[in-house]
Structures are given as structure tokens and as C-alpha cells.
Amino acid sequence: MTDATDVRNRTKELLAAHPPAGTERTDFLKARFDAGLAWVHYPKGLGGLDAPRTLQTAVDAELTAAGAPDNDPRRIGIGLGMAAPTILKYGSEEVKQRFLRPLWVGEEVWCQLFSEPGAGSDLAALGTRAVRDGDDWVINGQKVWTSSAHVARWAILIARTDPDLPKHRGITYFICDMTDPGVEVRPLRQITGEAEFNEVFLTNVRIPDAHRLGEVGEGWKVAQTTLMNERVSIGGSRLPREGGMIGPIAQTWRERPELRNHDLHQRLLSLWVEAEVARLAGERLRQQLAAGQPGPEGSGMKLAFARLNQEISGLEVELRGEEGLLYDDWTMSRPDFVDFTGRDAGYRYLRSKGNSIEGGTSEVLLNIVAERVLGLPSEPRNDKDVAWKDLAR
Amino acid sequence: MTTQSTQPDLLYSEAEDDLRAAVRSLLADRSDTASVLVRAESGTPYDPELWKALAGDIGAAGLLVPEKLGGHGASHREAAVVLEELGRSVAPAPYLTSSVIATETLLALDTETEAVAGLLTELAAGRGTAVLAVPLSGSHDGHLPVGEPRITGIADAAVADVLLVLRADGLYAVETANVAVEALTPLDLTRPLAAVTLDDPADATRLADAETAEKAVRRGLLAGAGLLASEQLGLAEWCLEETVRHTRERHQFNRPIGSFQALKHRMAQVWLEVVSARAAARNAADALATDCSDAALAVAVAQTYCSRVAVRAAEECVQLHAGIGMTWEHPAHLYLKRAKSDEIALGTPGRHKEALAALVDLQAP
């Protein structure tokens, strides 16, 4: 049984064999993966030690103290948070061996080809087609809101394999090669001025059947693994007090007494309390997971953070008054990831509008909480037993 | 890993779960909402048999008191669990006033003295109750009624055996029987309020000097405010559960009304706030239990947040029960009245926000 001491010893051995000062970043990360210290709860041989997830904290602390490079989780967030757990659960041995190491090391960035212009919150309505041709599947369709598509090497993809079945049952899940000549990525400029998202056009893209995850027609079930992990990963990190968006505005308040008025003060204090409570709720969720008592709270944390980010950043723009009328930079760029603190309040305000839309709109998440957590009855539906091809579009 | 140990423990221990189960089952047997209502209307809301079982048999009254004084040497974390259950059942019981505020105040005095030790032993065993002669609306960092001849709005004064009275020269224990107690008509029928007239009561026992007394009273009120958040949490939880149950069963327009998105979203929102309130209330209880330097901040955060959540959950409970929620027979009104009264008790959210502004250096203009 792997325990904290064992994990710490392995970390020390890794550091001794590959001193961070004299080792290339990716070489160190590969060695770390091979030592089972990438994600200790993953299986042996796949970057882990089959150990409890909680022991990762000890590894990370030891490596940070030694100045070891990390794998830049922000840049590879989709791969780490969504592709990896899905591959681990549904991939063949070959697929796991092929993809997990470069994914974790960051040599290969991933994106997620799920949403479509006609299938956003109603994701199961998607129309991208996958048709079997020998050992391959031939894909045609259009995806949208795809973060990181412009830097991604691989994508997780869901496509319709049987239009005659009801919409949830005719979907299959694939790994798509973004360098395939049939894949075209176009930047999609957003409200912030930058193009963090993309449209992706798929024209006769050939995917080998070996890159299918799960059974044919079981793609919706596989996608649930991805989506659950997407939402949980948002509440999972540990924040210090004032660690989120409340930090910059609190600092501005302290440093700039000339900006203060009573109305702003009352609103700031209320949001400070709510931010602190959301932080504590996230911490409680983390403690529950660590104690092996996962609760349904995860689905709620995203809702709380979305609203708080929007209200706090909106207040911050207002607090800045005359400066709030200005914007730092409208130049179109294509960033690798969202950098909330590297930009001005105006950017935070505009970008946080996406927090209640991306990864499930707040309205859909409230439905999920109401039905799955509170057990309230679902609204009557007329799309469940109808063949996808017969649905209104 | 020192970083680990400074994190508050926000979960419930197994012992706390067991305590919860015992208290919940007792309250379910002896204090269902129908009997709470009957008692409230009778003018004597307290059930002495229930108190004997809760305080004495289960030992809830002595949780904060060390074993050598006849208590259980537990902590605010366990007392908070008892308050969650009392909030969930709106049971009338002088737990917050006697077993938390008065007890915590006494524990901050010199417990070696016979008078203090004797009183604590009685309270811990559930043989007697004491209340601090301070208005329920007062806060730990606000004005204290030092030497005032008449103090109004004291919770549970009419049922307490002993009043703890602040005078200019110290803290005194006064037999309630020896002072004039005038019952007031409270908004919250389950927590009676009274005014007491204190001119020169016989047999007052001095417990502490002025400086010690004031510190101790503030400590008692701080602990009271921190644990009140747990009562508010339990109350909010009941309101949400009952509302969910009702809207699943109640049919209108040929559907359970709980299937309408307009209602579902409101209940999901309350759920999110209840989950958050739990983290805030646990944090306050843990900070008080570990006497950490953050306790005042944790209490201010929990009170600001949980007060609002309880009121909102109770208001949503009334609204989503619609006409039924407006009736005297349905218990929703008991919860709304308790929630609104709790919002003011031991400092309003606004008062706690003011305290917070100073604690986290976010000064007013």
C-alpha cells in the first residue's frame, strides 16, 4: 500500500535522479510521469501509483519546494480535466499508453469538439455525422466554441452514428486528429476582443475505429464522464482568502480611498462575504472528496463562482470610475488560455460573462441540481422517444 | 504538513453524526411542529420534560463545559450540531441562551471560584438554566447594558432560573424569582422575550470584576452569534426539504408544480445557499472550538451570510406553499418568524458587516 512516506521518498528519488536545475523541462516532466508522480491516483504505468488522490498534495508540495517545473495545468486544462479521465475510463490499453503521457507532459494539447451551432445546452441534438467506412469512420459537420482548437493536437469528439435512433442513443465518442487535412479551425472573435474560441469545420475527416472511446451508440454515456469531470474540476482547487476575483478589487479599495463611497462599500462587503463563503464551500467540498464522501455540491460551485465573478468584476469597473470607461487592449489575439488576473477590470467583466454559459449554462445547471440533487420531477419532454432525424431543427 | 493543520475542519465527525441522530430522534418524538404550535399558543412554550431529556439525558447542555465541572468537555462543533437540529425543528428550548451564551460567559470567568463552578455544574447537568441579561438584539462588539435598571428584549428570561447581570463593578448572578420579569409579545413565538427590572435584587452573587465581566460577556455573545449560524442552517434546511416535498406532491395544471422550471430554479438556488451556509457555519463553529485568531472574522462571515439564507429559505417556503403557507396550521410561519427574529438576534447582518470591514481592512469612505 502506497502511503505518504512512500510517495515522499519516491519524490526525493526523482529529484535526486533529475535535479530540476540541470534538467530540461519536458525531460523532467516525462521522468515524473514515469515515476508515477504525475497523478498518483492513476494506475501504475500511466503516470500514477494506484494511490489515494489525496497523496498528490505531498508530491506537489515537495516538488514546488525543490523548484521543479510543473506541467502548466492552465494550458492543458481540457486534456487534464476532461480528455484524461474519459480516456482512462473508456480507452483501450493501447490508447491509454499512447495518449496519457504526452497529454500530461503538455507535449500534446487537447480540445473538445462537443458543442455545435444547433446543439449548445441541448448537446444531444448534435448533427455532426460519423459514417463507418471499413476500419475508419468518416466525419462531416461543424463544431463551435472550441477553446484551444488552434493549438490542439488532439480532440475529443462526439458525432452522430445513427440518425434513426432517439437523439441520446445514436451518438458515438471519438478521438480526433486535429492535423487531419479535413479539419479546419477558424478563430471566433469574442466580446473581449480576443479569439480564445474557434469554429471547427470537419470535412471527410477519417478516424480509425481504434480511436473510438466506448461502444458505438454509447457516446452520450461516455460524454457524461467528460462533463461531470468538467464541472467538478471548477470547484476542486484550494484558494486562499481573497484568492479569486475579490482580491484585485479589495486591494484597489485599500489603496485608493478617493474611489470609495458608501454604496460601493456596502456592495463590496456583501460580495467579500459571499466570496469567502464560496471559498469555504469549495474547501468543504475538497475535504469531502478527500474523506471519500463525495457530495453533490460540485455541481453547485460553478453556479456560485459564475455569479460572483460577474458581480465582483462589474463592481470593480464601477469602482474605478473614470478609468472604468477605458479598456486595456482591443487587439485580436488568440491566447492559449484565459488569464483573468493578467488583464484589467474591463476584461474581467466581459470575460466573466462567459462563466455562466461555458461548461453548461447556469440555467441548465440549476435544472440539474433541481432534478438530480433535490429529486424534483422533470418537465414534460417530447424529444426523448423520437428519432433524431425527425426532431424540429 | 503544517498548511494542512491550519485549515478549518468543515466536515462532521462520526461522534457529531451520532449526536445529531440522538437529538433529531428526540425532537421528532417529543417536539413535532404541531405540538410546538400548541405550546407556543399556550404561553408556556417550553416543555420541561423535553429539556430534561435533551440537556440531561443526551447531555447536550454540558457540551462546552469541561468534565471536571460535570460537563462533557466537547466543543462548539458539537454544540453547533445540536443547534442545527433545534433550528430544523424550531423547538423552543433555552439552549442558545443558557447552554451556549451564558455557559460560554461563565467559562471565561475564573472557574476555580465556587460560585462560578457551582453554577456551571448546574447548567451542565441541565438542572438549571441561566441567561445573560442582555437584549437578544445586542451584538458582541456593541453597547452592553451595564448597570441599567430595566433591560428589555431578553430571550428566555421568563424560564431561566438565574440571570447574569452586568453592573458597573462586575458580573452578578441573580435568581430570576427575585426580579420583576415582564413577558413581551415576541415576533418569534418559539423564543419568548421579557423585560426585567433589576432594582436592587436580593441575594445577588458577584462572579467577576468589571473588566473580566465585560470580556466574558463579549465572548459569550460572540460564541452565541457564531453558533446561531448553525441554528439558521438547520432552519433553512428544513424549509428547503419541506418545499421540495410539497412541490413534488402538489399538482396544478395536471403536473406536479415542482416540475415547473420557474419553481425548480428557485429551489436549486436555495439549495446552493444552504450548502454554502453549511460551510460558513461549520467554519465559525470550528474557529470557536479551536479558539483561532480568525474566530471573530469567521463569526462575522457566518452571521452575515446565514441570517440571509435562513430568511430567504423561510420566505421561499411560504411563497412556494402559496395559500397553504399563509395558514396558521402549516408550520411554515413558525420558521419564518424564527428566521426573521434570528436575523436580528446577536447583531443584524449589517452590524456584522461593519465588524467585518474593520477586521479585513475594507474601511468605509
Side-chain angles (χ1 to χ4, degrees):
Chain A
M1 181 65 195
T2 314
D3 62 12
T5 319
D6 184 29
V7 159
R8 248 183 237 115
N9 288 339
R10 285 169 187 267
T11 310
K12 288 200 175 78
E13 283 165 28
L14 170 73
L15 287 165
H18 306 271
T23 312
E24 274 299 312
R25 182 174 174 277
T26 40
D27 289 344
F28 182 88
L29 292 172
K30 285 176 189 169
R32 178 175 165 186
F33 187 93
D34 296 338
L37 299 168
W39 33 34
V40 295
H41 57 289
Y42 267 48
K44 289 175 185 162
L46 294 173
L49 297 167
D50 279 317
R53 186 192 285 258
T54 46
L55 294 181
Q56 190 67 44
T57 324
V59 176
D60 293 345
E62 196 92 31
L63 291 176
T64 306
D70 80 5
N71 59 336
D72 201 353
R74 286 194 301 180
R75 209 173 64 83
I76 58 168
I78 293 168
L80 276 184
M82 293 158 234
T86 314
I87 289 170
L88 183 67
K89 187 161 178 192
Y90 289 100
S92 64
E93 204 48 44
E94 291 73 25
V95 161
K96 288 188 246 185
Q97 290 292 346
R98 162 65 188 82
F99 289 110
L100 289 175
R101 190 171 185 257
L103 180 160
W104 189 86
V105 169
E107 291 176 305
E108 291 178 349
V109 173
W110 286 68
C111 66
Q112 179 177 321
L113 296 175
F114 278 23
S115 295
E116 297 184 7
S121 288
D122 186 10
L123 181 60
L126 60 89
T128 292
R129 284 282 279 132
V131 177
R132 184 85 190 226
D133 181 25
D135 283 342
D136 287 347
W137 292 85
V138 179
I139 317 289
N140 279 285
Q142 184 196 344
K143 298 287 178 175
V144 74
W145 321 126
T146 317
S147 318
S148 304
H150 53 292
V151 286
R153 174 68 181 81
W154 297 97
I156 41 179
L157 164 76
I158 44 179
R160 185 154 309 280
T161 41
D162 191 344
D164 294 326
L165 290 175
K167 63 182 182 179
H168 292 91
R169 284 163 43 202
I171 296 171
T172 304
Y173 198 117
F174 300 96
I175 293 171
C176 173
D177 185 343
M178 293 297 284
T179 63
D180 191 294
V183 178
E184 188 199 344
V185 176
R186 292 185 203 161
L188 194 56
R189 198 175 190 205
Q190 292 141 234
I191 193 168
T192 54
E194 65 185 12
E196 164 209 331
F197 296 145
N198 302 273
E199 296 177 292
V200 178
F201 296 85
L202 305 161
T203 312
N204 294 324
V205 174
R206 296 191 80 86
I207 295 181
D209 188 55
H211 284 180
R212 169 169 51 79
L213 295 180
E215 298 305 313
V216 174
E218 297 281 305
W220 186 250
K221 195 177 91 184
V222 183
Q224 290 309 306
T225 301
T226 310
L227 297 175
M228 291 293 280
N229 278 287
E230 178 175 21
R231 283 159 200 160
V232 165
S233 67
I234 291 165
S237 59
R238 172 177 265 171
L239 281 178
R241 183 172 292 152
E242 290 192 10
M245 285 217 187
I246 198 71
I249 188 175
Q251 215 39 47
T252 304
W253 184 270
R254 290 176 189 124
E255 288 163 4
R256 309 270 304 272
E258 77 280 7
L259 297 176
R260 299 173 189 167
N261 70 47
H262 287 285
D263 169 60
L264 291 169
H265 190 230
Q266 288 307 308
R267 290 155 63 197
L268 174 63
L269 288 172
S270 294
L271 289 172
W272 196 96
V273 168
E274 289 181 41
E276 172 69 359
V277 173
R279 182 186 78 83
L280 290 167
E283 174 61 23
R284 189 174 138 80
L285 173 65
R286 210 195 53 74
Q287 291 182 8
Q288 278 180 291
L289 290 172
Q293 319 160 353
E297 286 86 346
S299 35
M301 294 314 297
K302 181 182 178 291
L303 282 163
F305 281 113
R307 189 183 57 77
L308 270 172
N309 284 349
Q310 293 170 354
E311 289 190 15
I312 294 168
S313 59
L315 186 67
E316 193 183 358
V317 172
E318 189 180 336
L319 167 67
R320 288 179 173 271
E322 195 177 335
E323 289 161 41
L325 295 171
L326 306 176
Y327 192 72
D328 58 359
D329 186 8
W330 288 117
T331 312
M332 188 183 115
S333 59
R334 301 180 78 182
D336 286 7
F337 55 85
V338 185
D339 184 6
F340 272 120
T341 48
R343 300 273 306 260
D344 277 359
Y347 173 84
R348 278 194 278 285
Y349 172 68
L350 295 174
R351 181 59 186 81
S352 67
K353 295 295 162 219
N355 291 164
S356 53
I357 301 169
E358 61 203 342
T361 63
S362 290
E363 288 70 23
V364 164
L365 290 182
L366 286 168
N367 281 350
I368 290 174
V369 167
E371 291 175 19
R372 301 202 197 147
V373 179
L374 297 178
L376 287 163
S378 52
E379 292 203 66
R381 301 182 60 158
N382 61 11
D383 61 341
K384 277 201 155 165
D385 302 316
V386 180
W388 174 82
K389 64 179 169 52
D390 297 328
L391 292 173
R393 253 183 297 279
Chain B
M1 299 265 293
T2 51
T3 52
Q4 210 76 16
S5 61
T6 58
Q7 287 290 334
D9 175 2
L10 302 175
L11 305 181
Y12 298 101
S13 69
E14 241 174 85
E16 285 164 11
D17 286 336
D18 292 346
L19 175 64
R20 175 195 307 288
V23 175
R24 187 177 293 188
S25 123
L26 173 73
L27 291 170
D29 280 358
R30 303 277 192 85
S31 188
D32 61 88
T33 49
S35 59
V36 168
L37 184 59
V38 170
R39 289 205 156 267
E41 285 182 290
S42 75
T44 51
Y46 291 107
D47 173 355
E49 289 304 308
L50 173 68
W51 179 252
K52 202 167 143 251
L54 175 71
D57 302 349
I58 291 184
L63 289 172
L64 295 180
V65 180
E67 285 174 14
K68 63 174 180 178
L69 293 168
H72 293 275
S75 76
H76 304 78
R77 294 177 51 91
E78 289 82 1
V81 169
V82 175
L83 279 165
E84 278 183 33
E85 293 307 311
L86 288 168
R88 170 189 274 281
S89 64
V90 279
Y95 192 79
L96 181 71
T97 46
S98 180
S99 308
V100 175
I101 300 174
T103 299
E104 180 88 359
T105 303
L106 292 168
L107 286 167
L109 306 177
D110 181 1
T111 56
E112 299 288 311
T113 65
E114 200 183 316
V116 174
L119 195 44
L120 274 169
T121 311
E122 289 298 295
L123 298 189
R127 284 193 293 267
T129 58
V131 304
L132 195 58
V134 167
L136 181 63
S137 59
S139 67
H140 68 92
D141 57 351
H143 163 79
L144 295 177
V146 182
E148 288 176 16
R150 184 170 190 272
I151 305 171
T152 190
I154 306 174
D156 299 336
V159 292
D161 302 298
V162 173
L163 287 174
L164 302 181
V165 180
L166 257 179
R167 290 185 183 166
D169 65 335
L171 189 71
Y172 287 80
V174 177
E175 297 279 334
T176 313
N178 295 336
V179 298
V181 179
E182 172 204 340
L184 306 171
T185 306
L187 173 69
D188 171 11
L189 297 160
T190 62
R191 184 168 276 148
L193 299 175
V196 296
T197 307
L198 292 157
D199 27 41
D200 214 14
D203 86 339
T205 312
R206 188 158 181 265
L207 302 174
D209 64 39
E211 196 189 333
T212 313
E214 184 177 331
K215 265 196 215 152
V217 168
R218 293 198 189 283
R219 174 72 198 183
L221 292 171
L222 178 73
L227 296 195
L228 177 61
S230 289
E231 178 178 303
Q232 290 163 325
L233 165 66
L235 187 157
E237 240 185 338
W238 182 91
C239 291
L240 175 62
E241 278 171 24
E242 264 316 285
T243 308
V244 167
R245 194 185 61 72
H246 171 74
T247 57
R248 284 169 61 166
E249 288 167 6
R250 167 93 176 153
H251 280 65
Q252 298 276 270
F253 308 101
N254 199 34
R255 283 162 63 176
I257 60 170
S259 68
F260 288 94
Q261 196 172 70
L263 273 61
K264 283 158 102 164
H265 283 195
R266 290 169 70 156
M267 286 181 270
Q269 191 61 45
V270 172
W271 172 81
L272 181 57
E273 289 174 16
V274 168
V275 166
S276 304
R278 185 183 308 287
R282 278 274 94 185
N283 186 51
D286 191 70
L288 288 165
T290 56
D291 202 16
C292 92
S293 55
D294 251 5
L297 191 154
V299 170
V301 167
Q303 265 303 297
T304 308
Y305 193 82
C306 298
S307 292
R308 298 286 197 228
V309 172
V311 170
R312 183 167 148 143
E315 288 177 348
E316 289 290 80
C317 180
V318 170
Q319 174 63 28
L320 300 185
H321 278 80
I324 296 165
M326 285 301 292
T327 64
W328 190 263
E329 286 75 17
H330 193 277
H333 69 98
L334 294 172
Y335 286 82
L336 179 65
K337 291 161 188 171
R338 172 71 75 86
K340 198 62 191 170
S341 161
D342 277 358
E343 185 184 39
I344 296 164
L346 302 165
T348 59
R351 185 74 201 83
H352 287 288
K353 268 201 291 187
E354 274 175 33
L356 185 72
L359 290 168
V360 299
D361 187 30
L362 290 172
Q363 303 295 343

